[in-house]
Amino acid sequence: MPESRPLLIPRLATTAADATTDCDVLVVGIADDGDFCPSLQQIDAEGDAWITRLVQHGKTPKKYGEMLLLGAPAGVGPIMVLLVGSGAPDQIDRQHAFDSASRAIRKLGDRVHDSVVIALSELFDPADHDAIVAGAIFGCEGTGIYQAEPAIKLAKSVVFRGIEPAALDRGRTIGESINLTRRLVNEPPAVLYPESFAEQARGIANECGLEIEIWDEEKLAGEQCRSILAVGSGSDKPPRLVILRYNGGGDEKPIALVGKGVTFDSGGLSLKPSESMADMKCDMAGAATVLGVIRAIARLGVQRNVVGVCGLAENMVSGKSYKLGDVIETRSGKTIEILNTDAEGRVVLADTLDVTLQQQPQVIVDLATLTGACMVALGKEVAGLMTNNQTLCDAVQAAAMHEGEPVWQLPMFKLYDEKVKSKVADIKNVGEARWGGAITAAKFLENFVADTPWLHIDIAGPAFAESPEPQRDAGGTGVMVRSLVRWIESASFPAG
């Protein structure tokens, strides 16, 4: 099988706010209130008020997201100018900074440019300048990683005007970590399976100075991780469990991030139809997110202890597959009645969460492309939050909203507990028919976190996009990487 192209970004640099605008393309924002930022004033003056004339005739973008690529008149520094509409000044926020830079890179991706200068910093608060850099890097990655001719062509160099070196470095780290998550999600299942995912994790650990444990099938059996082994039993690619540790917080107990890593989900004996199976390479997005977050935390030198635990399996069909009606004794001792082999992610997470408890974490946040029911409830753009600790949930939700990643909390009333009780085992792996499926899945998981403050994030909708948008390509989105980095940096513990 051919190898995918490596993750690439242009050469990045920063320059003073009053530096020359000589370049192939100058990317500059234009607000709808008529005020020109310094870069726009400069090129307008150098070109005999040419931008002013365009504004007077209503030819410039005004709404957020609108863009106009212009050839500059003779005598102006840049060869071309990309005007990026920012909308009303009171609506400019961090998400706009991220998306505007990504949209600009994608807009210019139809050809190779020697040099691009991004002057968007003049419209945004300095605290959001790192989001401009992260967004620009985000725009460099696409889903066509096996195309002979990349759909997105990268500039040879990108210079950020008026952005401090610290913001450049932070934005680079966040952007690269998001794109790592996206690339893992976009890789085909013949390339990314439990063992190769674990080796990817080993590479990240070596790069970032992390401790790592990789449990193979023999270790999993010795540790009585029977639920992970059951899900992986139908595949010729055996399951794995990965534990990554970043020690930046001294003696404090770690924050635990847990990821569902079903590297391909056929549905098992409860076989999915082809159209539902085609994108199931994305079913390991939770584990990929854990890798992206812990890489960013380590590269940023955050003063926290973080442990990432990824349960990895491939859910396939064979004579060895686990079956409907099976009862599995999990590592914790709780028993699960299997009524649907396509509800496998929660079965993998049952043992993964129990292993996580051994790390004695302050809090646990798990991420999983867990249920179509969450997409029915919230749509494809919004992640669902379910918790046993409101303080923890509020903190993560605040970080996500700050970063512009929409999330919404779903209830965890005790009445849902009854819906996952089994007549022959402690619990069953599906609830009652179609109703409340995202919540009953979370209620299933709650059985394996004891009294530890815990938040479940169902990213089934926003983790993978079927079609492109101006700010991103189709495929993996890297959702929640930047939000969880912000939360880990800013959270106070214990979570009450």
Side-chain angles (χ1 to χ4, degrees):
M1 188 168 183
E3 291 186 2
S4 59
R5 291 188 305 275
L7 283 163
L8 296 174
I9 61 170
R11 295 192 304 273
L12 302 183
T14 184
T15 189
D18 57 354
T20 178
T21 56
D22 289 343
C23 57
D24 285 1
V25 186
L26 173 68
V27 179
V28 61
I30 181 167
D32 69 356
D33 61 359
D35 289 343
F36 283 11
C37 63
S39 290
L40 209 52
Q41 293 174 8
Q42 180 182 348
I43 61 170
D44 188 50
E46 291 173 347
D48 194 22
W50 67 294
I51 299 292
T52 297
R53 288 195 295 276
L54 289 170
V55 172
Q56 289 171 345
H57 287 86
K59 303 300 183 183
T60 55
K62 288 188 176 182
K63 294 181 180 178
Y64 165 65
E66 293 181 343
M67 290 182 286
L68 180 63
L69 183 61
L70 301 166
V76 176
I79 298 172
M80 305 183 79
V81 174
L82 179 61
L83 297 178
V84 179
S86 65
D90 62 352
Q91 296 177 341
I92 295 174
D93 59 17
R94 186 171 178 83
Q95 179 63 29
H96 283 192
F98 185 93
D99 281 353
S100 294
S102 181
R103 287 170 186 256
I105 290 294
R106 287 176 53 76
K107 176 74 172 179
L108 299 174
D110 61 339
R111 67 198 64 201
V112 176
H113 299 284
D114 286 335
S115 59
V116 172
V117 172
I118 296 179
L120 295 173
S121 64
E122 297 165 343
L123 290 179
F124 294 95
D125 189 288
D128 297 330
H129 285 182
D130 64 303
I132 296 172
V133 180
I137 294 172
F138 181 84
C140 295
E141 176 72 2
T143 192
I145 56 178
Y146 285 90
Q147 293 174 344
E149 284 291 326
I152 299 174
K153 298 176 175 61
L154 302 185
K156 294 180 181 178
S157 73
V158 175
V159 175
F160 296 90
R161 194 175 190 192
I163 288 182
E164 295 295 324
L168 178 74
D169 292 343
R170 178 182 173 82
R172 183 201 299 264
T173 294
I174 298 293
E176 289 176 349
S177 299
I178 296 171
N179 282 356
L180 166 67
T181 293
R182 297 171 72 197
R183 173 59 65 90
L184 291 170
V185 172
N186 287 337
E187 287 284 8
V191 171
L192 201 74
Y193 44 90
E195 185 177 7
S196 63
F197 186 104
E199 289 307 310
Q200 290 276 354
R202 191 191 303 278
I204 297 301
N206 292 339
E207 171 197 336
C208 300
L210 306 173
E211 297 176 6
I212 186 169
E213 292 182 38
I214 298 175
W215 294 8
D216 62 14
E217 60 270 37
E218 292 183 5
K219 175 70 170 177
L220 288 167
E223 289 286 338
Q224 301 181 47
C225 292
R226 288 174 287 261
S227 62
I228 295 176
L229 289 166
V231 173
S233 61
S235 174
D236 61 359
K237 298 185 185 303
R240 294 287 185 269
L241 185 136
V242 171
I243 304 172
L244 290 160
R245 297 185 186 88
Y246 167 70
N247 300 312
D251 295 330
E252 73 171 14
K253 291 183 177 181
I255 299 163
L257 303 176
V258 176
K260 170 190 170 184
V262 176
T263 57
F264 184 74
D265 181 19
S266 71
L269 293 176
S270 304
L271 192 68
K272 295 178 183 288
S274 293
E275 60 270 19
S276 299
M277 202 188 301
D279 293 333
M280 282 299 101
K281 64 182 183 181
C282 79
D283 215 16
M284 35 59 67
T289 305
V290 170
L291 256 62
V293 173
I294 202 165
R295 177 195 183 275
I297 291 297
R299 293 292 294 268
L300 292 170
V302 176
Q303 295 183 355
R304 298 282 189 191
N305 294 331
V306 182
V307 59
V309 187
C310 301
L312 307 168
E314 190 177 68
N315 189 23
M316 296 292 287
V317 182
S318 76
K320 296 180 180 179
S321 297
Y322 76 129
K323 303 170 182 68
L324 284 76
D326 278 351
V327 173
I328 301 168
E329 183 181 3
T330 66
R331 187 175 189 271
S332 71
K334 289 184 183 292
T335 53
I336 304 170
E337 180 187 12
I338 302 299
L339 296 180
N340 188 330
T341 62
D342 196 21
E344 85 299 328
R346 66 201 73 180
V347 179
V348 169
L349 287 173
D351 281 345
T352 309
L353 288 166
D354 190 68
V355 172
T356 303
L357 288 180
Q358 280 196 324
Q359 312 302 312
Q360 298 184 314
Q362 300 183 64
V363 295
I364 298 173
V365 174
D366 81 70
L367 299 110
T369 48
L370 205 63
T371 65
C374 199
M375 297 166 65
V376 172
L378 301 178
K380 294 183 178 181
E381 295 81 16
V382 181
L385 306 181
M386 287 145 275
T387 190
N388 66 4
N389 185 282
Q390 195 59 47
T391 302
L392 170 61
C393 185
D394 290 345
V396 173
Q397 184 167 19
M401 299 309 287
H402 183 84
E403 292 293 335
E405 296 192 306
V407 298
W408 195 256
Q409 185 177 0
L410 296 173
M412 288 283 280
F413 301 134
K414 286 192 175 296
L415 62 91
Y416 292 104
D417 291 333
E418 295 297 319
K419 301 182 187 304
V420 294
K421 286 187 177 179
S422 166
K423 295 177 181 179
V424 300
D426 294 323
I427 52 177
K428 56 186 178 180
N429 77 323
V430 290
E432 296 178 353
R434 302 169 54 197
W435 316 121
I439 299 168
T440 54
K443 278 294 184 179
F444 176 97
L445 297 179
E446 191 175 22
N447 282 273
F448 301 96
V449 297
D451 296 325
T452 304
W454 158 76
L455 174 67
H456 165 58
I457 308 179
D458 193 329
I459 56 172
F464 191 86
E466 295 178 0
S467 57
E469 296 286 348
Q471 73 276 12
R472 54 132 181 87
D473 203 351
T477 65
V479 69
M480 296 306 294
V481 170
R482 50 195 165 125
S483 296
L484 288 175
V485 170
R486 173 164 294 277
W487 166 68
I488 291 169
E489 288 179 314
S490 61
S492 58
F493 296 101

